[in-house]
Amino acid sequence: MRLSKYFLPILKETPAEAQIASHRLMLRSGMVRQASAGIYSWLPMGFKVLRKLENIVHEEQQKAGHIPLLMPTLQSADLWRESGRYDDYGQEMLRVTDRHGRDMLYGPTNEELITDIFRSSVRSYKDLPLTLYHIQWKFRDEIRPRFGVMRGREFFMKDGYNFDLTEADALHAYNRHFVSYLRTYERMGLKAIPMKADTGPIGGDYSHEFLVLAETGESEVFYDASVTDMTFGDRAIDFSDHAALQSIYDEWTTPYARTDETHDADLFAKVPGTAQRTSRGIEVGQIFYFGTKYSEPMNAVVIDESGERVPVHMGSHGIGVSRLVGALIEANHDENGIIWPEGVTPFHAGIVNLKQGDTDADAACEGLYQGLLAKGLEPLYDDREERAGAKFASMDLIGLPWRVTVGPRGLKNGVVELTSRRTGESEEMSPQAAIDRIAQIYGRA
Ligand code: P5A
């Protein structure tokens, strides 16, 4: 993409309403624009990051054997009356009436709708296990939407629902989500720690939240410092292997890690004093097992091996995809702007032309641009007629991991400069070497 042809409405001033870094940086770098309280338009660069996260979530869900579908944002109130949640959900639910006077709502979550889909077509235990998921906009009329996309009213969520014959199978589905979430967050360059959590309006008595540690997080958390050293890495996983997934679950849940709602001071006291940590965290996902809470009242039953009609065991599993954009920035920024991890960056590298209009500089930039495209990468070429200082400031603000700086002086010696946004370190090399290095970093050599 050439910056002169893109739509990247960078703000010079820091917006007064933004209290935390991610909100400020998303507004300043032209990623989002508030449409109304807690509701945002995703401008092109923000939309690109959102799509990247969505793709990672899709890939990891499908590796775990979960099947994508798409349910609507508007739901009929009748289903929620069946489960008993229409009245329970309270003022967070946005209720609407259609022209025929029918009660509708903008879905805050989809347990009822998916249970209705399931019961209308699945009859036998032979069709289980089944996990369906979608990535769709949700609405919760939060009383105090704040921190930009972190606590929005409209937000983008991946929500998955498992249907199993037995509690043991449903707990395996819980573990499958647990493990696939560890992989998902790591691929995004994030450390998200699973913590025992409360279940709130979703229900059940089994739940973990995944939290990214950050001072600006809304949850208070208590944990054993050893959990922050754990990484999942590149292990081969057989998602159908019950014992293997259980042992990963056990490994990750052995160190103490709880949110304030489930915190147990006596247990925490057993963590060695030097390892006890209290901090804050951003909840980027949550998984639940709630047995037959929805299947029983909604009559979602299958015929089991002995011919009995039994309600299915269910759980639901959410990832806050739009919140993750904010969480990623909270965890990856400095005073000059965002620092995107390579797995989620909106463009792979920036090209800064220090002297737009100079024949050699223009030609070298064009060569770099085409060379990176040919490797299957997406460069962002700053081809504007701007001062070098302004171009550097924009690149630092939008935070692409790699920048290639091209100027007539370097070109006299046949070199350009490759700079890492994270370390600030620069190295001179030929334009071709820069292309090859960037391609290698992204596994496209
Ligand atoms: C699990 C999937 C559920 O709704 N039902 C379907 C279950 N869980 S949850 O914890 O309530 O939400 C899942 C994730 O969505 C994100 N989230 C939000 N993101 C931005 N703004 C909000 N107001 C908001 N509310 C929830 C969180 O990441 C949460 O973990």
Side-chain angles (χ1 to χ4, degrees), residues 89 108-111 140 142 149-161 202 283-286 288 316-323:
Y89 220 92
T109 177
N110 285 52
E111 280 81 4
R140 292 182 187 172
E142 304 271 352
V149 300
M150 294 271 238
R151 175 163 298 281
R153 292 199 296 163
E154 189 185 45
F155 59 99
F156 205 38
M157 189 209 284
K158 169 261 159 181
D159 41 323
Y161 305 86
I202 305 295
E283 179 204 324
V284 291
Q286 186 165 6
F288 303 81
S316 71
H317 316 274
I319 293 182
V321 182
S322 50
R323 174 179 287 182

Side-chain angles (χ1 to χ4, degrees), residues 53-61 158 177-190 192 232 319 321 324 344:
L53 301 187
E54 186 186 6
N55 284 339
I56 291 175
V57 172
H58 270 302
E59 283 178 21
E60 293 302 324
Q61 284 305 299
K158 169 261 159 181
H177 285 89
F178 188 96
V179 173
S180 72
Y181 280 25
L182 290 175
R183 288 173 59 116
T184 302
Y185 299 121
E186 264 193 34
R187 252 185 86 177
M188 294 174 180
L190 267 185
F232 191 74
I319 293 182
V321 182
L324 269 166
V344 300

Side-chain angles (χ1 to χ4, degrees), residues 191-336:
K191 190 172 277 293
I193 303 171
M195 302 202 184
K196 194 174 159 60
D198 203 21
T199 58
I202 305 295
D205 40 29
Y206 239 91
S207 183
H208 280 85
E209 283 179 7
F210 289 76
L211 289 118
V212 173
L213 298 177
E215 277 314 309
T216 48
E218 294 195 285
S219 320
E220 192 178 16
V221 296
F222 301 83
Y223 59 96
D224 178 335
S226 67
V227 75
T228 58
D229 297 330
M230 295 174 72
T231 49
F232 191 74
D234 211 10
R235 313 184 201 184
I237 300 294
D238 174 357
F239 279 99
S240 62
D241 184 336
H242 286 227
L245 295 199
Q246 185 62 42
S247 95
I248 296 171
Y249 172 87
D250 292 343
E251 179 191 338
W252 280 81
T253 53
T254 299
Y256 186 93
R258 295 189 178 203
T259 62
D260 54 356
E261 293 151 343
T262 57
H263 179 53
D264 177 332
D266 294 339
L267 269 182
F268 190 53
K270 296 194 178 120
V271 175
T274 53
Q276 287 179 13
R277 297 279 187 283
T278 305
S279 153
R280 303 195 71 78
I282 303 165
E283 179 204 324
V284 291
Q286 186 165 6
I287 57 177
F288 303 81
Y289 164 65
F290 40 69
T292 58
K293 169 172 172 170
Y294 300 89
S295 56
E296 243 175 290
M298 293 185 69
N299 203 26
V301 297
V302 291
I303 311 282
D304 73 7
E305 275 169 300
S306 54
E308 294 282 310
R309 286 162 60 84
V310 291
V312 287
H313 286 257
M314 292 174 59
S316 71
H317 316 274
I319 293 182
V321 182
S322 50
R323 174 179 287 182
L324 269 166
V325 181
L328 273 158
I329 297 175
E330 283 302 315
N332 297 282
H333 71 271
D334 63 14
E335 63 284 3
N336 297 323

